[in-house]
Amino acid sequence: MHQWLQRLFSAFSEPRFFQAQPGAVPLVMPARPAPPAPDATIAYRDDVSAAYYGWLFDRQDDSNLELTPQEIDVINALEAVVHSKQSGAALVGRLPGVIPQLLQSLRSDNFSGTQIARKISSDVVLVAAVIRLANSAMQNRNNTITSVEHAVIVIGQEGLRQLVATVAFRPIVDLKSGHFTRTLMPRIQNQSERCAIANRVLAEQLGIDPFQAFLCGLVQNVGLVVSLRMMDKIAKDKRQLGSAVFCASLAYNARLLACSIGREWHFPDAVIVAIEEQLGSHVSYSPLGRLLSMTDYFSKVRILVQQSRLADDPDLFQGLPDPVQRCYLTLSALEENTRHERP
């Protein structure tokens, strides 16, 4: 995934707690309907979402419309965070203190390369990522970049903004992480990064700020990171999570949480609004919200096709604007080329 990113850089309301009745597991429907497809009639949107969550939880049967007791506990814990005074940002587990400062500095067109390099140098993960990206962009492979200052010059402002944002929302998964964090987090991050890149590719021709579009794709799933940590603490049996109703509630509450966390991190209002619009309670969509709806859809399609969970059928894109369809085909081709080039 990192190689693919490198190449692209260079080219609700009150709490609604569930009650488990003794001896029975209640039937609880999702709190909100799935969001409509703005400016596009996509008959497969709900099916794709269900298939995506089925893949995440390694579930084949979507016929179960009941919540297990462990699913109820997870949902209650997640909604408690959503409706608390805390945003849940402290539970994300990444985003070092230096990264918000960097993102703030990089918003200015008059940023100081020396100051940016100094800030980057205080985070070892960023140092490695910046130097790696800079070297990948060099045409002369004999001249290896070893300093952050040189790397900052080579990458440039826009490349730095995207790289810093990507690293910020790629939480660290270690051996001590629970089952759901270890298994699901890389999958979720993969989809987020694909969505972010597609947003960036399409943004300019739609009159949208490319970096805000890129950031929006990354931020939209940050609430799921908190959810995974809750699952690891609450669910002792991994087979008890993943029903269709659970996934619908999870997706909704995780987006609410993403909005809350985004506000705490002082992300642009347009980004927060676009994520809120995915909750399905808006009649009209902002340009960024419309873009996110489409790229979130086809990035999931691409993953499902790769995982043999879905056939690569042109009908999946019926109603999508031509530029969006071309973007899918372009990114898919580039990804395939990168895969075949690997030793």
Side-chain angles (χ1 to χ4, degrees):
M1 185 66 188
H2 186 70
Q3 293 179 353
W4 186 49
L5 280 167
Q6 288 178 331
R7 294 189 59 176
L8 283 169
F9 284 147
S10 61
F12 177 10
S13 77
E14 295 298 314
R16 178 183 45 79
F17 295 103
F18 296 107
Q19 298 294 328
Q21 302 298 325
V25 178
L27 170 65
V28 185
M29 296 310 292
R32 289 290 189 272
D39 295 346
T41 302
I42 305 176
Y44 302 100
R45 180 176 295 271
D46 291 343
D47 291 339
V48 165
S49 180
Y52 174 74
Y53 277 94
W55 169 67
L56 281 183
F57 288 92
D58 197 21
R59 187 191 70 244
Q60 299 289 343
D61 183 9
D62 289 327
S63 62
N64 183 14
L65 296 179
E66 295 182 341
L67 289 165
T68 67
Q70 290 189 24
E71 289 180 327
I72 293 170
D73 290 342
V74 171
I75 292 173
N76 285 342
L78 180 56
E79 291 193 344
V81 174
V82 169
H83 297 286
S84 71
K85 294 182 179 180
Q86 303 298 321
S87 72
L91 301 174
V92 174
R94 181 65 178 107
L95 205 80
V98 69
I99 288 181
Q101 299 173 26
L102 277 168
L103 291 175
Q104 184 66 33
S105 299
L106 288 167
R107 290 180 184 177
S108 172
D109 291 332
N110 299 317
F111 77 101
S112 166
T114 301
Q115 293 178 355
I116 294 295
R118 189 179 301 118
K119 291 180 180 180
I120 290 174
S121 297
S122 65
D123 186 289
V124 65
V125 177
L126 272 176
V127 170
V130 166
I131 292 179
R132 188 184 304 116
L133 179 58
N135 279 302
S136 71
M138 291 288 289
Q139 294 182 353
N140 187 351
R141 300 296 179 178
N142 294 322
N143 295 329
T144 301
I145 296 174
T146 58
S147 73
V148 175
E149 291 82 358
H150 190 183
V152 166
I153 295 173
V154 170
I155 296 172
Q157 182 183 17
E158 193 60 32
L160 273 175
R161 295 167 87 191
Q162 294 167 14
L163 180 65
V164 169
T166 302
V167 172
F169 291 98
R170 188 179 289 157
I172 298 172
V173 181
D174 56 37
L175 295 177
K176 296 180 181 179
S177 299
H179 165 79
F180 293 103
T181 298
R182 289 198 313 270
T183 306
L184 274 64
M185 190 180 290
R187 296 180 176 187
I188 292 169
Q189 189 62 33
N190 185 307
Q191 189 266 333
S192 296
E193 292 179 3
R194 292 167 187 255
C195 183
I197 291 170
N199 278 355
R200 170 183 166 276
V201 169
L202 291 165
E204 191 168 356
Q205 59 185 295
L206 299 177
I208 300 172
D209 180 87
F211 181 64
Q212 288 190 8
F214 185 82
L215 191 61
C216 190
L218 294 177
V219 178
Q220 63 159 336
N221 286 329
V222 71
L224 285 175
V225 174
V226 176
S227 305
L228 296 179
R229 301 189 190 283
M230 291 180 178
M231 293 179 210
D232 285 331
K233 290 181 179 180
I234 295 171
K236 304 305 179 184
D237 185 349
K238 62 185 181 184
R239 297 170 298 180
Q240 296 299 308
L241 298 187
S243 71
V245 177
F246 173 76
C247 291
S249 180
L250 174 65
Y252 179 82
N253 283 290
R255 286 197 186 275
L256 283 178
L257 194 53
C259 293
S260 179
I261 293 172
R263 291 189 187 97
E264 182 173 329
W265 288 340
H266 305 291
F267 287 152
D269 290 341
V271 171
I272 309 303
V273 169
I275 298 173
E276 284 181 329
E277 289 171 347
Q278 310 310 306
L279 298 172
S281 56
H282 292 257
V283 176
S284 61
Y285 282 70
S286 64
L288 183 52
R290 183 177 299 112
L291 174 62
L292 178 60
S293 177
M294 293 184 289
T295 56
D296 179 63
Y297 170 79
F298 79 64
S299 59
K300 289 175 179 174
V301 168
R302 181 58 188 160
I303 289 173
L304 293 171
V305 168
Q306 286 185 311
Q307 298 299 320
S308 300
R309 293 270 186 152
L310 199 65
D312 200 353
D313 189 338
D315 286 347
L316 290 167
F317 303 98
Q318 182 180 2
L320 283 174
D322 288 340
V324 176
Q325 298 188 45
R326 289 196 299 270
C327 179
Y328 173 83
L329 294 173
T330 299
L331 297 183
S332 298
L334 177 57
E335 184 182 354
E336 285 298 317
N337 290 338
T338 301
R339 182 174 62 85
H340 291 310
E341 289 171 2
R342 292 172 183 167

